[in-house]
Amino acid sequence: MRNLYMRPPNSNIILGIDIGGTGIKGAPVNVQTGALTKERFRIETPHPAKPDAVADVVQDIAKHFHYSGPTGITFPGIVKNGVIYSASNVDKSWIDLDASKLFQSRLRGPVTVVNDADAAGIAEMRFGAGVGRHGVVILLTFGTGIGSAIFCDGVLLPNTEFGHLKIRGKDAELRASGRIREKKHLSFKKWAGIVSEYLEELEKLFSPELFLIGGGISKKADKFLPYLTAKTTVPIEAAKMQNDAGIIGAATFAKIRS
Ligand code: BGC
């Protein structure tokens, strides 16, 4: 009988899984081209999103693809060597947990865990809007929180957490995330005004060559980019990989680390 879990002969195909606040999504990725090799599979994020419940979902996603081999997984918090150090928008029981060990116990192959925004940034720099962009590039994701990834000549400085930069005494993500825009029913114009203030602050600190705007909001770039670009000298562009950035970046990161 054919072993369904046999590793695909092409080791450039790696499973990427993106853990988000509402959904956990995965797909095998060709890490040389950045393309998904199968349609992505999504399961609702369990509530509460405790480690065991999330690990069950991760296992189900790998099973769906009959996958064995290295897997890259995103997490919306600080991740160092597979251990989680912050959990602003997820269950606090993740803190200090070795997530790579937990996931590895459910999967057939080595696991690499990476911050979600860092993964999105890796995907954009390799395959999306950041290709060929040199100097300092800052990618920000606007979703449940604000995620950040900063690159210098394509090299990532991980776990930057710019979403927690204080603007007018308050965490930036509590003023300007996609969640807050929806909760407060802010128009794109109003929201862009708040984001601009945040970008100005980042510009003062890091003098970037380019801002990339990612996360769920990037799908609606035409609605807010004109307001944002009017207010800064730094070019601002929408990320291109949209919903798949986390999956692609996680798989690519796993390849880099293997
Ligand atoms: C977390 C970051 C994460 C971002 C986006 C923030 O609250 O601290 O680690 O990248 O949300 O999910």
Side-chain angles (χ1 to χ4, degrees), residues 175 180-188 190-191 194:
R175 298 169 48 82
I180 295 294
R181 190 190 72 80
E182 280 169 19
K183 192 174 148 201
K184 295 194 173 167
H185 305 290
L186 299 176
S187 67
F188 277 108
K190 187 93 201 271
W191 177 75
I194 300 169

Side-chain angles (χ1 to χ4, degrees), residues 14-20 23-29 36-43 57-58 60-62 64-65 67 71-74 243-244 246-248 250-251:
I14 291 184
L15 180 64
I17 297 181
D18 187 20
I19 298 177
I24 302 180
K25 302 139 270 182
V29 178
L36 306 190
T37 63
K38 290 197 177 131
E39 198 181 323
R40 69 192 202 131
F41 182 61
R42 178 183 187 278
I43 298 178
V57 173
V58 163
D60 287 346
I61 291 175
H64 170 86
F65 293 108
Y67 182 82
T71 301
I73 303 178
T74 72
N243 274 338
D244 295 333
I247 296 174
I248 297 165

